[in-house]
Structures are given as structure tokens and as C-alpha cells.
Amino acid sequence: MREAKRFQAKHMNDQPESASEINDAPRGQVVIHAALATLPSGPGVYRMLDAAGAALYVGKARALKKRVVAYTQPARLPERLRRMVAETARLEVVSTHTEAEALLLEANLIKRLKPRFNIVLRDDKSYPWLMLTRDHDFPQVGK
């Protein structure tokens, strides 16, 4: 925990990190920082995995490198995401041709893998609703 606080204190500004600062970072930030060198700048989907290989988080980005670099700045992340980054042991990336393709892939992976830190698309519960209009004799059921 002290390492994480020391790392956060050093990174309150936007200065580039030195090699010694990167080595002081918690494991997840080191993993993510190491992956930045090979990340494409185009659209795609990224998966953060824990030590057992279970998916922690699935995300999509219009610009993968720009999106993933945000995880290396813990002072700007909410506590939930800091915990996720700290548990990250591996980062996997799938590059796509378009942002729409990335969105579909992300939704499918979230439904299949059920990552702990994805909360919006994890459950596919949808509730029917009743629509009453004056131009129809009977109510309509929608989903």
C-alpha cells in the first residue's frame, strides 16, 4: 500500500515517468505500462486479466493507446478502478477496423466472460414495458 501511495504522489503531475518510478509502481500499473509500447493507436477492445487468467474488465476504445494510458495515472482514477488496476496481471488487446466493431466485440465479451469490474453490460436483464398510445386500440408490449 505504501508503494501505491508513493507512486500516486509522484504522479500527481503529468511529468513523464523515469525507469525507477515505473519499478516502484504497483504490479498492475507496471503490466499496463509495459503493454503501452505495443498498443495500436486505432480502435479495439482490451481485457484486463488477474493472475488466474479471469477477466477483471473488458473495455473498448476509439484510440486504444490513449485510453489504456489513463490506467497508469492512479491519482485520476476512482477507488474501484485503482483496485482493478492493482489486480491486473495481464492485458490482452484485440484491434478492430472500426469503433462499431469494437463496441459489438466488447458487448459480446462482457456477456460471455462476466468480468467483475464491468457493471453496465454484465447482466442482460431487460424488463418489458407497456406502451399506451391514442392511435392504437390495445396497449403494446415492448422490450
Side-chain angles (χ1 to χ4, degrees), residues 45 47 58 104-115:
V45 174
R47 286 182 285 186
V58 175
L104 291 172
L105 179 59
E106 177 199 31
N108 287 332
L109 286 173
I110 289 171
K111 291 199 190 303
R112 192 177 84 212
L113 301 173
K114 296 184 178 21

Side-chain angles (χ1 to χ4, degrees), residues 1-13 21 24-26 29 72-79 82-83:
M1 188 61 148
R2 284 189 204 146
E3 286 181 1
K5 288 186 180 183
R6 185 172 60 218
F7 188 79
Q8 288 173 7
K10 288 180 184 177
H11 295 285
M12 292 302 282
N13 56 18
E21 287 175 330
D24 287 345
Q29 287 175 272
T72 64
Q73 301 168 356
R76 296 181 181 196
L77 296 174
E79 183 59 33
R82 281 188 224 149
R83 282 196 329 260

Side-chain angles (χ1 to χ4, degrees), residues 4-94:
K5 288 186 180 183
R6 185 172 60 218
F7 188 79
Q8 288 173 7
K10 288 180 184 177
H11 295 285
M12 292 302 282
N13 56 18
D14 289 325
Q15 299 292 324
E17 297 121 357
S18 68
S20 64
E21 287 175 330
I22 293 168
N23 291 335
D24 287 345
R27 178 186 65 174
Q29 287 175 272
V30 173
V31 167
I32 294 168
H33 198 278
L36 287 175
T38 60
L39 280 179
S41 58
V45 174
Y46 58 95
R47 286 182 285 186
M48 294 185 183
L49 307 170
D50 65 12
L56 294 170
Y57 185 76
V58 175
K60 69 139 180 82
R62 182 181 309 153
L64 280 167
K65 191 173 254 187
K66 281 177 72 175
R67 176 66 188 104
V68 174
V69 77
Y71 294 111
T72 64
Q73 301 168 356
R76 296 181 181 196
L77 296 174
E79 183 59 33
R80 180 180 73 86
L81 293 181
R82 281 188 224 149
R83 282 196 329 260
M84 178 187 73
V85 169
E87 292 181 36
T88 300
R90 199 166 82 230
L91 182 71
E92 293 181 352
V93 174
V94 177

